[in-house]
Amino acid sequence: MKQPRAWQRMLSGRRLDLLDPTPMDIEVEDIAHGLAFVARWNGQTMGDWPYSVAEHSLLVEQIFTRQNPGIAPRWQLAALLHDAPEYVIGDMISPVKAAIGAQYGELDQRLTAAVHLRFGLPAQLPVAIKKAIKAADKISAWAEAVQIAGFSAVEADRLFGKPELAMQRGLTIQPQPPATVRTAFIARHQALLAAC
């Protein structure tokens, strides 16, 4: 019996094995391109453009940096790359992840480790950094829910926790064209990598 194909050809020409990803098959341009075209909230957002995972990643890194003044650039880079595996596996909403179970988590962990190693980060982040990124991710989810996904503030508070007013200040979400977000993601990645 023929084995099913478990690799994805990237625009860079790389062939990424989803079951055994290696850092050598990871390119930031592929990540930025893929994430710029993956819609958050299953595309159920307001605006003329879908709100992409790349745009979300930039926002999470901004919030993470705001919450952790003086944090090392490598951890800012980790925040920017927190959803990097979604460039090949897509953005599944939490209920779908729960329905799939542990297999989704294992695939995500393997891809995350390869991405981290490619850019000089530890395969597994320190627990405190992971928790801090998750806290920023929740604030981003709250802002997205209220500003572009049609949730009331009360509903978002219940699902994501009510963020401090200081963390909400200035978080204006305006979905942008994929090419614009792709360019911004690559530029931020390069700046953080150069600062590491």
Side-chain angles (χ1 to χ4, degrees), residues 96-152:
V96 174
K97 289 178 187 175
I100 292 173
Q103 289 179 327
Y104 177 88
E106 291 166 10
L107 179 61
D108 184 78
Q109 286 173 3
R110 283 194 298 271
L111 287 163
T112 297
V115 169
H116 284 176
L117 292 173
R118 171 67 175 88
F119 299 114
L121 298 169
Q124 289 194 350
L125 297 178
V127 173
I129 296 297
K130 198 168 181 168
K131 283 183 179 178
I133 292 170
K134 188 65 183 167
D137 195 23
K138 281 187 168 189
I139 293 170
S140 177
W142 185 94
E144 294 164 20
V146 171
Q147 291 185 36
I148 59 170
F151 288 65
S152 70

Side-chain angles (χ1 to χ4, degrees), residues 54-68:
E55 202 166 350
H56 162 76
S57 297
L58 287 161
L59 182 61
V60 169
E61 188 268 322
Q62 176 189 349
I63 295 166
F64 173 80
T65 301
R66 183 187 288 183
Q67 286 183 304
N68 302 279

Side-chain angles (χ1 to χ4, degrees), residues 9-69:
R9 167 105 35 220
M10 300 294 145
L11 288 178
S12 65
R14 299 281 188 194
R15 199 163 104 164
L16 181 66
D17 184 335
L18 299 178
L19 300 178
D20 187 23
T22 67
M24 295 304 295
D25 293 323
I26 308 286
E27 297 292 342
V28 70
E29 292 81 7
D30 293 332
I31 294 171
H33 182 81
L35 294 183
F37 283 90
V38 173
R40 294 248 316 149
W41 303 93
N42 279 347
Q44 298 300 308
T45 54
M46 299 172 210
D48 294 332
W49 303 100
Y51 183 69
S52 72
V53 175
E55 202 166 350
H56 162 76
S57 297
L58 287 161
L59 182 61
V60 169
E61 188 268 322
Q62 176 189 349
I63 295 166
F64 173 80
T65 301
R66 183 187 288 183
Q67 286 183 304
N68 302 279

